[in-house]
Structure formats: structure tokens, C-alpha cells
Amino acid sequence: MDSKATPFDSDALGSRRAIIRRNPDDMAEIEMIEAAWGSNPRFADGVRYEFIRSEGRQFPSHRCLVAASEFHIRNGEKKFRAYREDGNFFYLAAIWEPAMGEWPVSYRIITLDANPDVIRYQARHGAIIERRDAQKWLDFAVPEAELLVTPPADIFTVEEILTKPVQTSLAF
């Protein structure tokens, strides 16, 4: 795993991250496994999809969660990070896909319309599952429409990620 990339930095796409899911061999068990971010490009004309829109879809199986404390946004040349105002971590709703051939178990993050804090930077973001609702997502205890909702305003702080200039020193 790239130690410099954070889980939701677009530079990390394709790298492996921990997901939480029901064990497909024992649905009574919840497990945390390592999975690749992005679908198998072999079945999509060479394109690897990292996200899937929530609108008009149901996710009756293969649900998983990705723990996060922030997510990153690219807007032109600028990069931003969005994190919870209250400092809490959250989960991103996702679906996982089984390993196929050389392609490992993978996942895609479910997206929805961005909340008012993020909309100025991008139109969509990952669907947030609050910690108190994690079990509901994994257990299919409530319909997707009740969990996959755009969060209200004043939840996220968005700040620009500034890159520090490289300092060089010359020794003579």
C-alpha cells in the first residue's frame, strides 16, 4: 500500500484498502478484508470504475463499508480535503465484487449529490453511512433510500491541501 496516499486521495485509486462486509461463506460473520479500489477493467472496455451512482439503483447484495475520516476533492489544479466538523470518522457506502482471475476482490464507492458544504467544489461525493447505521447497511435492515441520502449542511469542513515547496540546501 502506498504510505503517502490517503484512502480517498485520487492518487490512491487502484490501491488496496480495508473494507468491511458480510463474509460470503458465513453471512452471520462480519469481516474486514483488503480489496482493490475499482472494478475489473477487463469487463468494461479497459476502464476501471471506482464509483457507482446511487440514483435508480438497489444494492441487494455485496454491500460493504469503507471507514474514512476525510475524502479528497480535485477541482482543476487545486486539491481539497473534506472532513467532519465534529471530528468523527464515518463510513462510505460501497459494493464489493469477487475476485476474477488475476483481478482481486474489489469495491466501488456509491455516490450521491454533494451536500451544501461540498457542492462548491464538486457535484457528487461518496454516500456517507453514519457509524450508528453501519449495521443497518450490512444487514439490509432498511431500504437503500433511507441510508443513501445527501447529508445536511454544516457537517464537513473543506480546506485546500497546500503542497509545501521543496527546500533545498547547498553545502559547500
Side-chain angles (χ1 to χ4, degrees):
M1 193 182 302
D2 182 354
S3 62
K4 293 181 183 179
T6 61
F8 306 102
D9 184 340
S10 57
D11 295 336
L13 295 179
S15 60
R16 295 175 188 253
R17 301 286 179 235
I19 63 168
I20 300 163
R21 69 175 188 176
R22 288 265 170 210
N23 180 341
D25 297 324
D26 179 2
M27 293 302 281
E29 179 185 329
I30 294 175
E31 65 181 358
M32 182 182 290
I33 65 164
E34 189 176 80
W37 186 5
S39 61
N40 189 336
R42 179 175 174 195
F43 300 102
D45 295 327
V47 177
R48 185 177 70 228
Y49 292 97
E50 291 86 15
F51 302 99
I52 184 168
R53 288 178 167 262
S54 62
E55 293 85 3
R57 296 182 190 244
Q58 293 183 337
F59 303 97
S61 66
H62 292 91
R63 290 183 184 180
C64 64
L65 296 166
V66 181
S69 58
E70 65 182 44
F71 56 89
H72 288 192
I73 301 164
R74 283 191 192 255
N75 187 324
E77 293 296 314
K78 293 184 177 184
K79 243 173 127 175
F80 300 87
R81 71 184 191 108
Y83 58 93
R84 292 285 303 256
E85 252 323 296
D86 59 12
N88 279 323
F89 77 90
F90 50 89
Y91 295 102
L92 293 171
I95 57 167
W96 65 273
E97 297 171 354
M100 288 187 272
E102 298 292 316
W103 194 257
V105 172
S106 60
Y107 68 96
R108 291 185 283 159
I109 294 174
I110 298 169
T111 66
L112 41 71
D113 290 334
N115 89 327
D117 307 326
V118 175
I119 196 80
R120 296 181 348 185
Y121 305 93
Q122 67 184 24
R124 304 184 67 75
H125 61 67
I128 306 298
I129 302 291
E130 298 294 343
R131 295 183 331 199
R132 68 180 172 271
D133 294 329
Q135 202 68 41
K136 292 175 188 175
W137 177 251
L138 294 174
D139 289 347
F140 307 92
V142 297
E144 293 93 336
E146 290 182 32
L147 294 172
L148 301 177
V149 295
T150 299
D154 302 323
I155 286 183
F156 296 111
T157 296
V158 180
E159 63 183 30
E160 187 173 356
I161 299 171
L162 301 173
T163 55
K164 296 179 182 177
V166 178
Q167 294 184 345
T168 57
S169 59
L170 300 174
F172 293 97

